[in-house]
Amino acid sequence: MRAVLLVNPKATTTSERARDVLVRALRSEVDLSVRYTRQRGHATKLAREAAVEGVDVVVTLGGDGTVNEVVNGLMSATTVGGQPPTAERLPALATVPGGSTNVFARALGLPREWAEGASMLMEGLRLGRRRTIGLGRADDRYFTFCAGFGLDAAVIHRVEEARRRGRVSSPGLYFRAFTAQFLFGAERRHPAIRLEQPGEATESDLASIIVQNTAPWTYVGDREANPNPEASFDLGLDVLAFRQLGVASTTRTVTQFLSAAPNPRGRQLLRRHDVAEFTLVASRPQAFQLDGDYLGEREKVRFTSVPAALRVIC
C-alpha cells in the first residue's frame, strides 16, 4: 500500500519528535512518502499531486485547516478526460489530530490527542476500516464539517488576528472574541441575510447562519457544541439561522448548544435538516468561514451537499 504523509510543521500540538514517531509507525505498515507544507494552500497542491500519482492513502498531520486543504486537493484531482473521480478512485484520507481542536478527526471517532489518534489510525489501516462520507461545498470550495456566514465567522476572524499577535488558541480566547463581536458587530443590530432554497419560501432578515455537514459543530475543550445535532456525514447539510441576536435569547441558545441533549429551539431560530442545496445572499458583505478558517467577506454563497464523496480511515 502506497501512502503520502502531509505534515503541517506549524500545527499547534505537534513536534519534531511526534512526527518522527508517526513516520516510523507508518513505515512499518505502508510504503510511505513524507511531504511538508510550506504555506497556506500548499497542502491542496500536494494532495492533488498525490491523487494524480495514484497513491492509496493520504495521511494528514495537522489541524482542521490542513484537512480542509487536503480534501480540496483530492476533490480537484481529475481522471482521464477531465471528469471528477469517484470516491473509490481517490486515495482514502487518514487524519492524525495535530491542531488545537481537531473537529473533523474527533467527529470520525478519533481521540483528541495525536498519539492516541495515531494509534487508532494504525489499527484502522491494518484492519482496513474505511467509510465513505459526504462533503459540503460552498461555491467552488469543499468543507468537511462546518461553514459559517455572519457572527461565528467574524469571531474566527478575531481569533485568527489575535493568534497572529501571539495569543494562544483557547476556549477563553474564543469566548472573549465572541463577546466582543456580539456586542459591537453589526450582525445583532442589522440582520442582512436571506436564505433561498429550491421549493421553499425565501427567508429574509437573518442575522447569522451556521451550516453543518456533521455533528458536532465544534468543541469547547472536551464538550461538544451542537447547533444541529442531527447533522451527519451520511445526509445533506443542516442549517441553523438566527433571525435575531438578542442578548437573552442568544445566551439561551448557546447554552442549549452545549447541553448534554442539545435541541435548540426558539422563535428567533430557523432550522433546516438534510438540505441538498441553498443559497445565502446578503445586503452587505458578511464574514465567511469554512472548517474553522476565515475566508474573507462574501455577499453571496451557494451551498450544495456532495454525497458519498470521499473514503476515510476510521
Side-chain angles (χ1 to χ4, degrees):
M1 180 185 296
R2 295 173 59 210
V4 170
L5 172 63
L6 300 183
V7 177
N8 178 0
K10 297 182 179 179
T12 307
T13 60
T14 62
S15 64
E16 186 174 351
R17 176 182 175 276
R19 295 192 293 269
D20 290 343
V21 169
L22 178 60
V23 167
R24 287 197 298 271
L26 286 170
R27 281 185 169 150
S28 71
E29 299 290 335
V30 298
D31 178 8
L32 184 69
S33 172
V34 182
R35 302 170 190 177
Y36 292 85
T37 64
R38 295 191 297 267
Q39 59 198 18
R40 190 167 185 171
H42 191 206
T44 298
K45 178 177 181 292
L46 294 177
R48 186 185 302 116
E49 291 173 350
V52 172
E53 291 168 13
V55 303
D56 301 293
V57 180
V58 173
V59 185
T60 67
L61 177 58
D64 290 312
T66 301
V67 173
N68 180 276
E69 289 188 13
V70 168
V71 166
N72 276 276
L74 295 176
M75 296 300 294
S76 65
T78 55
T79 59
V80 175
Q83 295 301 313
T86 62
E88 290 73 22
R89 298 185 66 176
L90 282 173
L93 173 67
T95 301
V96 178
S100 57
T101 310
N102 305 303
V103 179
F104 178 69
R106 294 163 76 180
L108 291 173
L110 293 172
R112 180 179 181 180
E113 303 300 328
W114 79 266
E116 290 82 359
S119 177
M120 188 172 288
L121 167 66
M122 299 304 299
E123 182 179 323
L125 285 170
R126 284 194 297 270
L127 299 178
R129 286 203 303 250
R130 303 185 182 195
R131 64 175 289 194
T132 302
I133 65 170
L135 299 171
R137 185 168 179 170
D139 290 337
D140 59 352
R141 181 156 178 170
Y142 295 89
F143 61 97
T144 63
F145 64 91
C146 82
F149 199 62
L151 177 62
D152 82 308
V155 170
I156 287 171
H157 184 37
R158 284 179 178 265
V159 169
E160 289 186 356
E161 289 184 326
R163 292 181 67 181
R164 280 193 287 270
R165 296 193 299 269
R167 302 293 297 275
V168 176
S169 179
S170 67
L173 178 60
Y174 276 91
F175 177 77
R176 290 189 292 273
F178 171 81
T179 301
Q181 186 64 35
F182 180 75
L183 292 176
F184 303 113
E187 300 89 1
R188 186 162 66 91
R189 297 185 298 275
H190 305 291
I193 306 168
R194 68 178 187 268
L195 187 153
E196 301 174 351
Q197 181 183 347
E200 301 286 344
T202 296
E203 297 282 353
S204 301
D205 298 325
L206 304 174
S208 190
I209 313 289
I210 291 171
V211 182
Q212 286 176 241
N213 185 51
T214 191
W217 167 51
T218 190
Y219 290 85
V220 180
D222 290 328
R223 178 176 291 185
E224 296 181 355
N226 262 322
N228 294 294
E230 296 180 341
S232 169
F233 287 126
D234 301 319
L235 300 173
L237 302 174
D238 276 29
V239 182
L240 184 140
F242 291 82
R243 298 184 187 278
Q244 300 289 333
L245 289 169
V247 174
S249 61
T250 304
T251 300
R252 182 172 60 252
T253 300
V254 171
T255 301
Q256 290 175 334
F257 290 177
L258 298 171
S259 68
N263 191 22
R265 289 286 184 268
R267 288 179 297 177
Q268 84 282 8
L269 300 179
L270 170 69
R271 304 284 295 275
R272 291 285 187 269
H273 173 58
D274 191 15
V275 181
E277 63 175 292
F278 62 94
T279 302
L280 301 179
V281 183
S283 59
R284 65 173 184 274
Q286 298 290 310
F288 173 55
Q289 65 91 3
L290 292 181
D291 285 346
D293 272 356
Y294 178 69
L295 298 179
E297 293 185 334
R298 302 284 193 279
E299 293 182 4
K300 182 178 182 179
V301 183
R302 180 174 181 265
F303 288 87
T304 54
S305 172
V306 187
L310 191 67
R311 293 174 302 153
V312 294
I313 307 296
C314 57

